[in-house]
Amino acid sequence: RLVHHDVKPDNIMITHDGVAKLADLGLARPRGEQLDGGVKLLSQRPQYLCPEQASGDTMDFRGDIYSLGVLLYFLVSGQYPVSGSTLADIHDAHAAGRMQPLNEVCADLPAGFLAIVSRALAARRGERYADAGVMEEALDQALVAETGPTTTNQEAYNRYLQGRYHWDRRHRGGIPKALESFRQASAIDPEFALAHVGVADCLNLLAYYQYLR
């Protein structure tokens, strides 16, 4: 397994099937091999630096967890958890753990999601998630709590996410792709209610497009 060391929006690519891929492995190292915190520091976005990286300490995989927490924070709020008028101010804020809690910026977000972001952004790396898989499981559980029953079948869930990607783009060419992905998800797990809802939504929208012709 690799530790990326530079998780930020610029390095996340979305495939045509809606799958997120991490790009630019220039700083990546095998898990267990630490990276000097000062390496290429100035070439990276300061808002995504983990505290240990900002202070020049050695880093491990938990730095990626922190950067992912920053990314989630920004995705839902449009703001960064730390701020400063200079690069040094931002580094100091990361290193000291000075940030605005997400619930103060977006109070209407689900409590489960807020807790996940807060843990990912813990200043002490030992308080963050043990690995990305544990964090992913927490996000899945938070999704279930908000949307209702989901699936334990990873392939069905991946197909559903691909369908959501095409559905959210809301164009005629993408809806048939979304429908196909939702149908595949429901075929893999017939009890996956959200996949069936996706199929129904796509069929309704396609019927509406046909009506407009």
Side-chain angles (χ1 to χ4, degrees):
R1 294 184 179 182
L2 293 177
V3 182
H4 192 272
H5 291 303
D6 194 16
V7 176
K8 58 187 178 183
D10 312 59
N11 291 336
I12 298 178
M13 307 298 173
I14 306 297
T15 70
H16 292 296
D17 292 328
V19 178
K21 301 283 189 179
L22 267 176
D24 190 355
L25 302 179
L27 295 180
R29 297 290 187 276
R31 185 164 176 167
E33 180 181 326
Q34 293 185 327
L35 179 70
D36 183 348
V39 174
K40 291 189 178 180
L41 187 62
L42 294 179
S43 68
Q44 297 170 261
R45 282 199 187 184
Q47 294 89 351
Y48 290 88
L49 299 180
C50 61
E52 51 271 25
Q53 191 174 12
S55 60
D57 295 335
T58 55
M59 299 175 295
D60 60 21
F61 64 94
R62 290 166 294 187
D64 285 351
I65 298 294
Y66 183 91
S67 298
L68 181 57
V70 175
L71 178 61
L72 291 175
Y73 188 113
F74 182 80
L75 282 174
V76 298
S77 70
Q79 302 179 31
Y80 294 109
V82 301
S83 60
S85 57
T86 67
L87 187 62
D89 288 342
I90 296 175
H91 286 182
D92 290 343
H94 279 298
R98 295 194 306 271
M99 65 180 64
Q100 185 174 15
L102 182 55
N103 66 315
E104 295 181 2
V105 182
C106 300
D108 59 339
L109 290 173
F113 180 78
L114 291 170
I116 291 169
V117 175
S118 177
R119 182 173 176 183
L121 291 175
R124 296 180 179 179
R125 67 180 106 183
E127 298 176 0
R128 299 174 203 152
Y129 288 97
D131 59 49
V134 176
M135 186 175 176
E136 180 186 18
E137 182 178 351
L139 286 167
D140 285 343
Q141 292 174 353
L143 176 64
V144 171
E146 290 300 312
T147 62
T150 182
T151 180
T152 58
N153 187 296
Q154 188 62 49
E155 180 61 23
Y157 186 63
N158 288 341
R159 295 294 182 181
Y160 171 75
L161 290 180
Q162 290 171 7
R164 289 298 313 179
Y165 170 76
H166 292 298
W167 169 263
D168 290 340
R169 298 180 70 182
R170 290 295 200 285
H171 64 81
R172 296 193 183 191
I175 299 304
K177 294 180 180 179
L179 177 60
E180 179 63 20
S181 294
F182 289 140
R183 280 177 167 165
Q184 290 173 351
S186 61
I188 294 170
D189 183 357
E191 301 299 321
F192 189 7
L194 290 177
H196 292 289
V197 172
V199 170
D201 286 341
C202 288
L203 290 175
N204 285 333
L205 190 55
L206 286 173
Y208 177 70
Y209 285 156
Q210 183 68 26
Y211 171 77
L212 293 178
R213 287 184 178 180

